[in-house]
């Protein structure tokens, strides 16, 4: 099982994403954007890592989404191969139309706006460890295939534009109906209080990650690759840190993709 | 330019008219060596290379007199772009430290971003992977007469740092923010970068052996040269005047983290190619002084000459030769390699990484050849525009500046012990300098690269595990207290070293190397030069007395650094600010501890008694509105024993949380241990043993005398006491962790402080938000 971590100019998480994928038992390599796109067909799954592709020119993800490699990626996704977009990767998937993947419906990831008690307390970039609640059923989505509904997973978020917005007022309802909302920001008890700091970026209904209707394409703002080893966790018991390979909660995302490839292959 | 045979007055007018900073006597000495009038491009080259920024002409003698730059672990001292120390037989840590003060005062966002951009290049060009940065920042009084401007600068600087560092993909692991009215018109933006490299893969920033004889190629890589930053090093080597603001803006460089990100990856491919084929190259970043500085230093340090064709430099538009030479266009590198490698090197940048299509005008270009004639020659449009002895150009000049102690009349304030010390502690916790730094560090991506083990806010130092598969960790911390510097530059230097070392010791890491960024006023003024020398003497004494653990009397080496003079304006000069960055090493990241309280019932111990030395303390300034006179001193033997024994007690598992005492004294230190992490445990301390019985309770709580608060693992109390006794340290049991969210302090069995943690949290987390609003 071989995955491609697609590297655009300005990507900055490709190496740790590949390390996380390998820790889950996937093989893979970093795939530079200007390689012949057809070489992409040789892989079983795809990851678009975080970063600032093309400097977020125009909008985050806008330029990368128009690269030839994305056309090929769409075709491979249409075949049912799994795609995971993390942070800037999520932004690229939204800009390309692969997410939410509903024809004629549009969403965007806008600037973070942190609201507490009706007041804007902060805007823009924010880096913190947060809790996510998995709101899809196990098996619904390639990147969370192994995760039970309602499970809580800790990992860091670090972005300036992760606030999911839409001009179509029916979109969120549709996403809910189609079970496309995979992750929501929540507190340590699993409550999705719609207020900063639980809702870290102002995203509608605390949405942190969504999948396409088919479930094989997942986009999420937080970074599972930075939570794939126990030693990466804040305030972790030093005993857990001493075992270099003890998994962190984020590894489940990569193990899920592996399982999805096994099952769908 | 006409110099020979002209009057001083005429030469002065010509120099100033051309925008040169050279003095008349400097210009005459150049003409003497050349035995003719120099050309304008030659004068600009000398102006750049002989600036304070590039030549250290005022500081070099003092640095050589005091600083310890060698040691058993030093692989490379300060002679190149970054210093290097060994971690083990295979791995090394690379570190560089710089200031970007003047630009950040004028254009905070671009200025600060360029600071990050420059320092990461310094580390990368040694062949290293850049794994962390730190940002010591100094801003003016957020509530003073310049409040609006100060806040504008502070916000712009923080934005510049995150916009650059986050996009580049290097985590910010440490830093500090201090507000002090001496920075109202001169902010300080210091930047530190560290990297890792294998010892046998270090790349030198000089022409390789044989380069001259074999006519190696000189290749310029990166952004097209434009006029940005022209005159940058000269501007950094003068005091700031408001009327020059428009002109100074043009001297500020324009940063681009996106292009840098792509360049770093292309550089990595270049490095791998040269390593696999066993080819030695020279590689250097272009920073202050631009193309002239990078090229001439690479040639001169290897004893070669260079012949460079400025028409081959890829550039944005038609530029005069002195601008091509001296502009400080960002995101550029210079490569010296054998001609047979040139086509493949160009291919990596221009084809594989497609620079021309990724960024308009960016590419790699062959621009000249190495020679053996010792001359620095540039050509432009068919004319020879510069032909000077290369070692004369890079050798610079030296000045022996005068020093004179600054007259100071600091007094201790006459104060009564306040009635309500709980309220006083709340005020100190909420002060701009003691409050939580969370508001700032949440802007920084502290997690990128996935190597982070301890992040800002969890302990006194950040910790990364920078090499996957290896267990070792690198800790990073910075420190300098301007208020101590105001009273005593010597003790400011010494305490900056001690505190930076305590910070890394608090997580269990061994202070392994340091860098210094020395921020002072105009060195042509004897008082400012005295402050500089005093601070260097202080930090050097401390580095020696607090020797490298396990190597008695071997000073902790200072392998890199920077001197920033002229941090002054007509409104005044900055408080002496010797900023120290300390790199710590821990064999196994699994052994590191954070500062948050761990278990109810665990005993809390103090080492380091409290003294009546509250000069420059946050208590004096916040509560009494005074600076005071008795600045904290470093008791060298005690300090070294405390640092080394704290490290050992963590390594042996006796201590589960540690926090060093600094801003806000014992009171703030205890509160921070309770307010970090889950923050659901309290602490109760009896102050009676913390210092002399004659000390007022306020002094026991707020004295910033050096020390540590240690939370002992249950059952390890006797082991800890035994170890401390063996090392001659007085371990003082002050109290214990409580299973209730409150902070209690007693003296003579009377409660003197009783704070609800929620109230403390509100004060502590709100202070910086308020200061930067």
């Amino acid at each position: 099982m071989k995955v491609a971590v697609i590297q655009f100019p300005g990507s900055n998480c490709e190496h740790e994403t590949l390390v996380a994928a390998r820790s889950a038992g996937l093989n893979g390599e970093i795939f530079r954007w200007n390689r012949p796109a057809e070489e992409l067909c040789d892989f079983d799954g795809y990851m678009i890592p975080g970063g600032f592709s093309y400097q977020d020119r125009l909008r985050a993800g806008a330029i990368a989404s128009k690269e030839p490699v994305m056309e090929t990626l769409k075709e491979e996704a249409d075949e049912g191969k799994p795609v995971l977009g993390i942070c800037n990767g999520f932004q690229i998937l939204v800009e390309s139309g692969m997410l939410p993947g509903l024809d004629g419906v549009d969403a965007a990831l806008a600037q973070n706006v942190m609201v507490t008690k009706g007041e804007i307390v902060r805007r823009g970039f924010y880096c913190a460890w947060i809790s996510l609640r998995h709101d899809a059923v196990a098996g619904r989505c390639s990147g969370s295939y192994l995760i039970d509904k309602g499970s809580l997973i800790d990992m860091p978020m670090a972005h300036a534009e992760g606030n999911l917005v839409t001009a179509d007022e029916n979109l969120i309802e549709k996403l809910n109906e189609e079970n496309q909302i995979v992750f929501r920001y929540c507190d340590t008890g699993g409550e999705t209080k719609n207020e900063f700091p639980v809702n870290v970026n102002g995203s509608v209904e605390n949405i942190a990650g969504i999948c396409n209707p088919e479930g094989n394409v997942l986009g999420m703002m937080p970074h599972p690759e930075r939570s794939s080893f126990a030693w990466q966790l804040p305030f972790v018991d030093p005993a857990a840190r001493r075992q270099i390979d003890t998994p962190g909660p984020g590894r489940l995302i990569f193990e899920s993709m592996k399982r999805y490839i096994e099952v769908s292959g | 330019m006409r110099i020979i045979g002209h009057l001083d007055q005429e030469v002065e007018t010509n120099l100033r008219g051309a925008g040169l900073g050279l003095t008349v006597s400097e210009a005459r000495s150049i003409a003497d060596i050349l035995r003719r009038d120099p050309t304008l491009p030659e004068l600009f080259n000398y102006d750049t290379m002989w600036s304070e920024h590039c030549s250290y002409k005022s500081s070099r003698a003092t640095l050589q007199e005091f600083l310890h730059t060698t040691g058993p672990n030093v692989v490379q001292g300060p002679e190149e772009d970054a210093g290097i120390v060994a971690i083990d037989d295979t791995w090394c840590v690379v570190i560089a430290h710089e200031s970007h003060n003047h630009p950040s005062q004028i254009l905070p966002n671009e200025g600060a971003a360029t600071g990050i951009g420059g320092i990461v290049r310094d580390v990368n060009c040694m062949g290293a992977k850049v794994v962390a940065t730190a940002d010591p920042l100094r801003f003016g009084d957020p509530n003073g007469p310049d409040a609006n401007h100060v806040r504008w600068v502070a916000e712009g600087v923080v934005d510049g740092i995150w916009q650059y560092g986050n996009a580049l993909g290097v985590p910010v692991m440490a830093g500090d923010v201090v507000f002090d009215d001496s920075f109202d018109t001169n902010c300080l933006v210091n930047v530190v970068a560290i990297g890792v490299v294998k010892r046998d893969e270090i790349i030198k920033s000089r022409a390789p052996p044989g380069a001259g004889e074999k006519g190696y190629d000189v290749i310029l890589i990166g952004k097209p040269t434009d006029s940005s930053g022209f005159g940058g090093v000269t501007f950094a080597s003068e005091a700031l005047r408001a009327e020059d603001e428009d002109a100074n803006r043009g001297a500020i460089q324009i940063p681009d983290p996106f292009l840098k990100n792509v360049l770093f990856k292309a550089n990595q491919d270049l490095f791998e190619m040269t390593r696999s084929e066993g080819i030695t190259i020279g590689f250097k970043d272009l920073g202050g002084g631009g193309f002239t500085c990078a090229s001439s230093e690479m040639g001169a340090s290897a004893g070669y000459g260079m012949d460079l064709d400025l028409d081959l430099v890829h550039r944005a538009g038609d530029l005069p030769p002195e601008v091509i030479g001296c502009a400080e266009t960002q995101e550029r590198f210079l490569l010296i390699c054998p001609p047979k490698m040139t086509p493949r090197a160009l291919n990596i940048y221009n084809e594989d990484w497609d620079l021309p299509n990724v960024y308009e005008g960016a590419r790699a270009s062959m621009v000249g050849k190495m020679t053996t004639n010792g001359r620095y020659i540039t050509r432009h449009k068919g004319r020879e525009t510069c032909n000077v002895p290369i070692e004369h150009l890079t050798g610079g000049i030296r000045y022996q500046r005068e020093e004179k102690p600054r007259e100071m009349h600091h007094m201790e304030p006459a104060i009564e012990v306040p009635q309500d010390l709980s309220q006083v502690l709340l005020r100190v916790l909420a002060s701009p300098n003691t409050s939580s730094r969370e508001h700032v560090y949440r802007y920084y991506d502290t997690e990128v690269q996935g190597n982070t083990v301890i992040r800002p806010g969890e302990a006194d130092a950040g910790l990364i595990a920078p090499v996957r598969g290896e267990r070792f960790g690198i800790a990073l911390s910075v420190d300098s207290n301007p208020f101590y510097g105001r009273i005593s530059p010597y003790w400011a230097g010494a305490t900056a070293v001690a505190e930076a070392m305590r910070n890394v010791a608090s997580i269990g890491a061994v202070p392994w190397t340091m860098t210094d960024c020395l921020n002072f006023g105009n060195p042509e003024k004897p008082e400012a030069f005295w402050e500089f020398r005093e601070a260097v003497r202080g930090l050097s004494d401390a580095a020696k007395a607090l020797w490298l653990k396990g190597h008695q009397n071997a000073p902790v080496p200072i392998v890199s650094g920077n001197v920033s003079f002229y941090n002054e304006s007509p409104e005044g000069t900055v408080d002496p600010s010797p900023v120290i960055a300390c790199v710590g090493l821990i064999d196994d990241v699994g052994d590191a501890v954070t500062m948050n309280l761990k278990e109810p019932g665990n005993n809390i111990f103090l080492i380091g008694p409290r003294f009546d030395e509250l000069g420059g303390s946050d208590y004096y300034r916040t509560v009494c509105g005074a600076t005071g006179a008795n600045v904290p001193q470093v008791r060298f033997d005690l300090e070294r024993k405390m640092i080394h024994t704290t490290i050992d007690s963590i390594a042996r598992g006796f201590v589960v949380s540690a926090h060093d005492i600094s801003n806000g004294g014992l009171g703030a230190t205890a509160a921070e241990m309770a307010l970090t992490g889950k923050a659901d445990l309290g602490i109760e301390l009896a102050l009676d043993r913390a210092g002399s019985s004659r000390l007022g309770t306020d002094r026991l709580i707020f004295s910033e005398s050096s020390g540590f608060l240690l939370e002992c693992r249950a059952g390890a109390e006797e082991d800890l006491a035994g170890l401390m006794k063996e090392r001659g340290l007085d371990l003082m049991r002050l109290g214990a962790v409580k299973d209730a969210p409150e902070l209690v302090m007693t003296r003579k069995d009377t409660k003197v402080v009783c704070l609800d943690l929620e109230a403390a949290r509100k004060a502590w987390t709100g202070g910086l938000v308020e200061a930067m609003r």
Side-chain angles (χ1 to χ4, degrees):
Chain A
M1 269 170 290
K2 202 167 146 197
V3 295
V5 178
I6 302 174
Q7 174 188 47
F8 290 102
S11 297
N12 66 21
C13 302
E14 59 269 43
H15 296 283
E16 54 267 39
T17 301
L18 184 59
V19 168
R22 286 179 176 158
S23 76
L26 289 161
N27 290 318
E29 65 187 67
I30 291 171
F31 191 98
R32 198 170 58 214
W33 84 101
N34 56 2
R35 268 172 70 173
E38 61 272 17
E39 291 178 16
L40 207 54
C41 306
D42 301 339
F43 295 86
D44 303 305
Y46 305 93
M47 298 176 186
I48 311 181
F52 290 71
S53 60
Y54 288 101
Q55 208 167 16
D56 285 358
R57 287 177 202 157
L58 203 60
R59 282 184 312 277
I63 311 280
S65 72
K66 306 294 184 291
E67 285 283 352
V69 72
M70 288 300 293
E71 277 307 311
T72 311
L73 183 68
K74 263 182 220 172
E75 290 163 19
E76 295 303 303
D78 287 344
E79 306 265 308
K81 288 186 185 175
V83 179
L84 168 65
I86 301 167
C87 199
N88 189 229
F90 184 15
Q91 294 164 335
I92 293 168
L93 290 173
V94 170
E95 286 289 334
S96 73
M98 291 173 71
L99 287 176
L102 301 161
D103 290 337
V105 202
D106 222 350
L109 291 159
Q111 192 197 36
N112 299 347
V113 180
M114 291 73 161
V115 178
T116 303
K117 292 177 187 149
E119 268 187 48
I120 296 174
V121 293
R122 193 179 170 113
R123 284 177 192 274
F125 200 94
Y126 198 73
C127 174
W129 276 74
I130 43 99
S131 295
L132 294 179
R133 190 179 71 197
H134 184 237
D135 276 3
V137 294
R140 166 73 181 97
C141 162
S142 63
S144 66
Y145 203 82
L146 296 170
I147 306 172
D148 288 331
K149 188 173 179 176
S151 295
L152 303 188
I153 299 184
D154 285 1
M155 62 182 74
M157 54 88 76
H159 59 255
E161 283 145 15
N163 172 5
L164 187 85
V165 294
T166 173
D168 178 350
E169 49 194 37
N170 299 320
L171 176 70
I172 302 303
E173 198 180 322
K174 246 184 205 160
L175 291 178
N176 274 311
E177 276 172 13
E178 301 288 327
N179 298 312
Q180 283 180 254
I181 299 174
V182 180
F183 291 113
R184 283 190 165 91
Y185 301 108
C186 65
D187 63 18
T188 50
E191 296 300 314
T192 54
K193 196 176 171 193
N194 190 12
E195 183 152 284
F196 181 78
V198 175
N199 184 343
V200 281
N201 57 16
S203 199
V204 59
E205 285 195 12
N206 292 35
I207 293 173
I210 57 174
C211 65
N212 63 347
E214 296 75 20
N216 62 318
V217 179
L218 168 66
M220 58 194 297
M221 289 311 299
H223 287 269
E225 79 280 14
R226 303 177 185 183
S227 170
S228 286
F229 298 89
W231 58 261
Q232 294 174 314
L233 271 63
F235 299 114
V236 72
D237 181 355
R241 246 196 242 138
R242 280 194 195 97
Q243 295 302 320
I244 199 164
D245 292 324
T246 309
R251 190 176 297 178
L252 274 173
I253 305 294
F254 301 93
E255 288 171 343
S256 287
M257 186 189 270
K258 179 171 179 251
R259 184 70 188 140
Y260 177 88
I261 294 171
E262 285 165 356
V263 170
S264 62
Chain B
M1 181 180 286
R2 280 181 240 171
I3 292 170
I4 297 170
H6 287 261
L7 295 173
D8 282 1
Q9 188 56 48
E10 291 167 335
V11 177
E12 173 83 23
T13 308
N14 288 345
L15 289 170
R16 293 316 143 243
L20 290 157
L22 287 168
T23 66
V24 174
S25 63
E26 287 169 350
R28 286 202 192 285
S29 75
I30 294 164
D32 284 349
I33 289 285
L34 300 181
R35 296 190 208 147
R36 59 172 166 81
D37 280 335
T39 66
L40 194 63
E42 283 171 341
L43 283 173
F44 270 100
N45 285 346
Y46 275 102
D47 192 48
T48 295
M49 296 307 295
W50 288 13
S51 67
E52 189 69 56
H53 187 92
C54 289
S55 74
Y56 293 77
K57 60 188 171 192
S58 301
S59 60
R60 193 174 293 235
T62 302
L63 300 178
Q64 285 174 345
E65 179 182 347
F66 291 117
L67 291 188
H68 312 287
T69 59
T70 57
N73 56 350
V74 175
V75 175
Q76 180 176 288
E79 64 269 16
E80 295 209 20
D81 287 339
I84 306 179
V85 292
I87 295 170
D88 54 24
D89 292 340
T90 306
W91 289 98
C92 298
V93 58
V94 183
I95 183 164
H97 190 169
E98 267 196 5
S99 64
H100 227 239
N101 305 338
H102 277 46
S104 304
Q105 181 66 28
I106 305 287
L107 283 178
N109 190 308
E110 291 79 358
T114 312
I116 299 282
I119 205 70
V120 295
R121 273 199 312 275
D122 283 330
V123 170
N124 174 253
C125 74
M126 310 305 301
K129 177 174 165 51
V130 185
V131 292
T133 58
D135 315 293
L137 308 176
R138 304 289 179 270
F139 303 121
D141 181 354
N143 303 307
D146 289 323
N148 286 340
H149 194 75
V150 163
R151 287 164 187 243
W152 176 77
V153 171
E155 188 185 345
V157 164
V158 170
D159 282 350
I161 291 170
W162 79 250
Q163 285 163 7
Y164 198 102
N166 295 358
L168 181 62
V170 178
V172 175
M173 292 310 300
D176 61 1
V177 184
V178 182
F179 299 90
D180 159 0
D181 59 7
S182 84
F183 305 116
D184 278 1
T185 51
N186 283 283
C187 70
L188 301 184
V189 174
N190 285 190
V191 286
V192 181
I194 59 173
V196 288
V197 66
K198 285 185 176 169
R199 191 193 280 249
D200 57 5
E201 296 187 346
I202 293 167
I203 289 172
K204 293 288 191 177
S205 45
R206 64 175 63 180
E213 293 80 358
K214 293 176 192 158
Y216 275 25
D217 287 337
V218 180
I219 296 171
L220 178 65
I221 296 157
K223 198 170 169 180
T225 298
D226 54 25
S227 62
S228 65
F230 181 58
V233 291
T234 310
F235 152 62
S237 305
E238 290 171 351
L240 280 183
R241 291 182 298 261
E243 61 268 28
D244 296 338
E245 193 166 319
D246 281 342
N248 288 342
R249 263 199 198 119
I252 294 169
Q253 307 83 354
I254 300 165
D256 197 301
F258 165 70
L259 181 56
K260 174 73 61 56
N261 169 303
V262 178
L263 283 171
F264 271 15
K265 292 173 191 176
N267 291 350
Q268 187 58 36
D269 284 359
L270 175 80
F271 298 159
E272 279 171 18
M273 182 180 82
T274 61
R275 283 164 190 157
S276 69
E277 300 184 13
I279 299 171
T280 306
I281 58 168
F283 199 72
K284 187 173 170 67
D285 81 299
L286 275 70
F291 181 71
T292 293
C293 181
S295 56
S296 62
E297 285 187 354
M298 286 186 86
S301 58
Y304 293 127
M306 320 185 88
D307 195 331
L308 304 163
D309 186 348
L310 300 182
D311 293 321
L312 296 178
V313 169
H314 54 281
R315 57 195 182 276
D318 191 23
L319 301 170
E322 61 272 18
V323 175
I324 299 173
C326 302
E328 295 179 10
T329 305
Q330 294 294 292
E331 327 309 354
R332 296 183 299 166
F333 293 92
L334 203 64
L335 164 67
I336 295 176
C337 69
K340 70 173 163 50
M341 201 190 102
T342 299
R344 281 175 302 149
L346 295 177
N347 195 60
I348 287 175
Y349 292 93
N350 298 338
E351 305 295 330
D352 293 353
W353 291 93
D354 205 12
L355 285 187
N357 286 316
V358 163
Y359 191 98
E360 194 178 351
R363 59 182 306 110
S365 308
M366 209 280 271
V367 297
K369 289 273 185 192
M370 300 304 298
T371 67
T372 50
N373 63 11
R375 308 291 294 182
Y376 184 77
I377 298 170
T378 62
R379 303 170 195 278
H380 185 246
K381 297 189 176 168
R383 283 190 310 126
E384 194 176 87
T385 47
C386 175
N387 186 339
V388 301
I390 196 165
E391 284 179 6
H392 183 244
L393 177 63
T394 58
I397 37 176
R398 302 282 177 275
Y399 283 120
Q400 193 53 53
R401 302 287 189 195
E402 249 183 85
E403 59 171 318
K404 188 174 124 195
R406 192 181 289 284
E407 272 187 45
M408 290 185 278
H409 305 282
H410 294 293
M411 307 263 289
E412 279 290 294
I415 44 169
E416 304 263 306
V417 179
Q419 286 297 312
D420 188 347
L421 284 166
S422 298
Q423 281 305 311
V424 172
L425 181 54
L426 276 183
R427 281 178 65 189
V428 168
L429 287 174
S431 82
N433 292 336
T434 296
S435 54
S436 162
R437 309 287 96 172
E438 180 175 9
H439 173 74
V440 168
Y441 66 68
R442 292 281 178 228
Y443 281 109
Y444 302 152
D445 193 338
T446 55
E447 310 291 330
V448 64
Q449 299 188 5
N451 298 330
T452 307
V453 179
I454 295 178
R455 49 207 44 78
E458 289 181 27
D460 289 310
L463 179 68
I464 50 172
V467 181
R468 294 297 176 100
E470 297 281 347
R471 302 297 294 143
F472 67 77
I474 298 178
L476 185 60
S477 163
V478 296
D479 190 69
S480 181
N481 188 322
F483 305 102
Y484 300 168
R486 188 180 291 185
I487 301 170
S488 165
Y490 177 86
W491 287 116
T495 51
V497 165
E499 157 104 34
M501 286 193 193
R502 282 202 304 276
N503 287 340
V504 302
S506 295
I507 65 170
V510 177
W512 201 238
T513 187
M514 294 186 292
T515 58
D516 56 348
C517 190
L518 306 162
N519 306 272
F520 294 86
N522 179 353
E524 297 159 42
K525 296 183 180 170
E527 289 86 355
F529 195 63
W530 172 81
E531 289 173 340
F532 165 71
R533 282 183 59 82
E534 281 291 287
V536 175
R537 195 169 63 84
L539 69 88
S540 172
D541 283 354
K544 192 172 174 202
L546 311 178
W547 62 65
L548 200 58
K549 190 169 183 291
H551 302 267
Q552 191 164 351
N553 293 322
V556 175
I558 295 179
V559 293
S560 185
N562 174 243
V563 179
S564 173
F565 283 130
Y566 300 97
N567 291 293
E568 69 174 70
S569 54
E571 290 80 16
T573 177
V574 297
D575 282 332
S577 297
V579 176
I580 297 293
C582 183
V583 167
L585 207 58
I586 189 163
D587 291 341
D588 187 334
V589 293
D591 292 334
V593 300
T594 50
M595 68 183 178
N596 56 306
L597 298 173
K598 302 294 188 302
E599 282 289 331
N602 279 354
N603 286 299
I604 301 285
F605 294 96
L606 167 72
I607 51 172
R610 309 293 84 208
F611 294 96
D612 188 358
E613 46 185 15
L614 286 87
S617 67
D618 209 21
Y619 171 63
Y620 271 10
R621 285 178 288 110
T622 303
V623 179
C624 317
T627 299
N630 300 340
V631 74
Q633 303 192 355
V634 183
R635 293 160 184 86
F636 290 126
D637 279 344
L638 172 65
E639 186 76 38
R640 184 187 60 251
K641 286 177 191 166
M642 288 198 296
I643 290 170
H644 291 179
T645 312
T646 296
I647 295 164
D648 289 336
S649 58
I650 292 169
R652 294 180 196 183
F654 305 158
V655 164
V656 292
S657 319
H659 190 12
D660 93 294
I661 299 175
S662 61
N663 258 13
L666 185 59
T669 302
E672 285 161 5
M673 292 175 80
L675 292 170
T676 303
K678 264 198 220 158
D680 52 0
L681 300 175
I683 190 167
E684 179 159 357
L685 303 177
L687 299 171
D688 308 274
R689 286 212 56 208
S692 157
S693 61
R694 292 189 303 278
L695 274 187
T697 305
D698 55 342
R699 282 160 202 275
L700 287 176
I701 297 174
F702 296 113
S703 167
E704 296 176 6
S705 299
S706 137
F708 292 87
L709 277 186
L710 307 173
E711 178 185 349
C712 184
R713 180 169 56 81
E717 294 82 1
E718 281 183 27
D719 291 331
L720 182 63
L723 178 65
M724 293 287 170
K725 196 173 170 198
E726 176 193 315
R727 303 287 173 86
L729 287 166
D730 183 16
L731 182 69
M732 297 167 260
R733 183 185 177 278
L734 295 195
V737 181
K738 286 182 72 167
D739 199 3
E742 58 178 8
L743 177 63
V744 177
M745 295 187 192
T746 62
R747 195 171 193 199
K748 293 172 186 152
D749 296 327
T750 308
K751 271 190 191 175
V752 289
V753 167
C754 186
L755 270 186
D756 171 54
L757 273 192
E758 196 45 46
R761 183 202 324 280
K762 227 173 147 183
W764 186 59
T765 55
L768 190 58
V769 180
E770 189 54 45
M772 293 195 57
R773 192 183 297 279

